[in-house]
Amino acid sequence: MAGDKPLSQHDIDELLGSVSKPSKPADDVKTSSRQERFGGVKEPNPSERPFDPGTQHRVVRERLHTLEIINERFARQFRMNLFNLLRRNADISVESVRYQRFQDFSDKLPTPINLNIIAMKPLRGTALVVFPQNMVSMIVENLFGGDGRFITKNEAREFTGTEQRIINRVLNLAMDAYQEAWRAVFQLRISYIRSEMQPKFASITSSPSEIVVTTTFHLEVGNLDSSFQICMPYSMIEPLRDRLTNLRADASSATDKAWRERIKQELQSSDVELTTNFLDIPVRLPQVMALKVGDVLPVTLPKTVTATVSGLPVLECEYGSLNKHRALRVTKILENHAVANPTRTEKASVYGPATSEDYNDD
């Protein structure tokens, strides 16, 4: 009909959709509703998925800032250790830190591969240091003077005895560097347990769906490069979560103690000027101008005087002479609230606030 309005694209899509999805007959609707009412089998809905508690994994939302600092320290320390071994500059950088299921991590590992299981006491559980085959070949090539021009393609074979001994040397250097990187945050004792070549024999979690923290490092030596990984269960480092999520947790009590000792030594070796005012004579300027040679000013000397440092009274002293020199004998250390009380060992060498009772038992 010429007077009718032409169909829009939306109307055409609606018509095509109704054709491709035919309506359900009334008999089928009655049958399905009757089955649901009397406990029959319900037809599956494509939008619904079965829930399996065994495949669910926790979500780690916080970011472990301090662990990133530990990884950077490890990269610097391991770089120096490899230079001492290879006598060539090695560039190590942190690529990524991932939180994933252990099953996902192990599925991406090629075989064969060097999987080293280590313990990090007093933390519970074990961790993995993963050295791929191309990294082992690269280190062997550089250790024996090669430059990578004639390096052979990696083959699916087991490591030779020489390669295994070199892996053990590199692993010891990595464990020493990683233990040193953790020292400022938490004291760890890292030890080697065993090595495997198949991921299924190197399980470090009780369940494949358990979350692990995987750090990937990139290694470059000359024209060759490779990557290696350190993998640890999240449950292993979860007791240290507060320290690892807080950036200020990197400053440990041991580091603070070292700084305090250093500052104390610097303060003790510094020179200060100790001054003592014996008495004050109140006179006017005309009286001072009228004084002549031979005049006598009557004064009464006090029994004790106060010694000051930069205007701050610190000592109460008696005065006299010793070896033909004027001398002061300390009778009391004055207490000043502006200065913290020194410890027992500091009082003999540092003028500070204290009380005379601290010296009665000497």
Side-chain angles (χ1 to χ4, degrees):
M1 291 179 292
D4 293 340
K5 182 179 178 182
L7 296 176
S8 63
Q9 184 64 36
H10 178 70
D11 298 333
I12 296 174
D13 294 338
E14 290 290 335
L15 291 175
L16 293 177
S18 61
V19 172
S20 60
K21 298 180 180 179
S23 59
K24 194 173 183 180
D27 296 339
D28 295 343
V29 173
K30 294 179 180 179
T31 303
S32 61
S33 60
R34 188 180 300 108
Q35 289 177 352
E36 294 178 4
R37 185 180 307 172
F38 294 99
V41 179
K42 182 182 178 181
E43 295 182 0
N45 190 348
S47 61
E48 297 178 356
R49 292 182 300 175
F51 177 79
D52 186 2
T55 61
Q56 304 303 311
H57 62 273
R58 61 183 301 179
V59 178
V60 181
R61 301 186 183 277
E62 64 269 12
R63 183 178 176 182
L64 304 180
H65 300 279
T66 309
L67 183 61
E68 299 175 2
I69 299 176
I70 293 174
N71 293 331
E72 294 291 342
R73 290 181 176 178
F74 165 74
R76 292 194 298 267
Q77 186 66 34
F78 192 35
R79 182 188 306 121
M80 293 185 293
N81 293 348
L82 281 182
F83 175 80
N84 295 332
L85 175 65
L86 304 176
R87 293 301 174 183
R88 299 190 63 179
N89 291 326
D91 186 15
I92 302 177
S93 60
V94 183
E95 281 193 350
S96 63
V97 179
R98 298 190 60 186
Y99 307 91
Q100 58 184 343
R101 297 191 309 163
F102 181 74
Q103 184 68 40
D104 299 336
F105 166 75
S106 59
D107 288 344
K108 296 180 181 179
L109 294 178
T111 54
I113 194 171
N114 180 250
L115 302 170
N116 302 283
I117 304 176
I118 61 174
M120 302 170 58
K121 299 298 182 181
L123 300 181
R124 300 182 60 182
T126 55
L128 285 179
V129 180
V130 182
F131 292 153
Q133 191 175 23
N134 58 349
M135 175 184 171
V136 176
S137 302
M138 178 183 66
I139 293 179
V140 172
E141 177 78 9
N142 285 272
L143 188 61
F144 290 97
D147 56 2
R149 290 182 296 176
F150 306 105
I151 191 170
T152 59
K153 188 177 181 180
N154 294 325
E155 302 175 356
R157 58 173 179 82
E158 294 185 357
F159 297 104
T160 64
T162 301
E163 289 176 335
Q164 192 61 51
R165 287 192 295 270
I166 294 175
I167 290 174
N168 294 337
R169 294 179 61 182
V170 175
L171 178 62
N172 290 332
L173 296 178
M175 290 192 302
D176 293 341
Y178 204 54
Q179 181 172 309
E180 182 65 26
W182 273 86
R183 187 181 301 277
V185 179
F186 191 75
Q187 294 286 343
L188 293 178
R189 299 186 305 275
I190 301 179
S191 58
Y192 169 77
I193 298 179
R194 71 178 192 275
S195 296
E196 297 290 347
M197 297 187 64
Q198 299 293 334
K200 60 183 178 180
F201 298 129
S203 179
I204 58 175
T205 60
S206 58
S207 172
S209 61
E210 187 174 343
I211 295 297
V212 294
V213 183
T214 307
T215 306
T216 304
F217 298 89
H218 184 71
L219 171 64
E220 286 188 28
V221 182
N223 298 326
L224 304 177
D225 64 327
S226 180
S227 298
F228 66 97
Q229 296 171 316
I230 296 179
C231 177
M232 63 184 72
Y234 183 78
S235 60
M236 185 180 188
I237 60 176
E238 191 172 13
L240 305 177
R241 183 178 58 183
D242 293 338
R243 298 191 182 190
L244 296 178
T245 55
N246 186 7
L247 288 175
R248 296 183 59 88
D250 183 57
S252 64
S253 58
T255 306
D256 294 340
K257 184 178 180 180
W259 276 105
R260 287 196 297 267
E261 291 294 330
R262 181 67 180 275
I263 294 176
K264 183 183 72 174
Q265 294 175 3
E266 294 293 334
L267 289 176
Q268 290 179 354
S269 60
S270 60
D271 297 331
V272 295
E273 182 180 357
L274 185 69
T275 59
T276 302
N277 186 17
F278 281 85
L279 54 88
D280 295 326
I281 303 177
V283 293
R284 297 181 179 276
L285 184 58
Q287 296 176 343
V288 175
M289 299 299 298
L291 292 176
K292 294 181 288 187
V293 179
D295 290 346
V296 177
L297 298 176
V299 295
T300 302
L301 295 176
K303 294 182 178 181
T304 59
V305 293
T306 302
T308 61
V309 175
S310 299
L312 183 67
V314 292
L315 301 173
E316 184 177 318
C317 310
E318 296 178 349
Y319 54 90
S321 59
L322 179 64
N323 297 331
K324 298 181 180 180
H325 291 86
R326 299 296 182 184
L328 297 175
R329 182 170 61 186
V330 179
T331 59
K332 184 179 181 181
I333 299 179
L334 301 180
E335 182 176 359
N336 297 279
H337 296 286
V339 183
N341 292 330
T343 60
R344 181 72 179 180
T345 56
E346 297 174 278
K347 293 174 183 175
S349 55
V350 180
Y351 291 125
T355 58
S356 59
E357 288 78 3
D358 297 326
Y359 292 86
N360 291 338
D361 55 350
D362 291 341

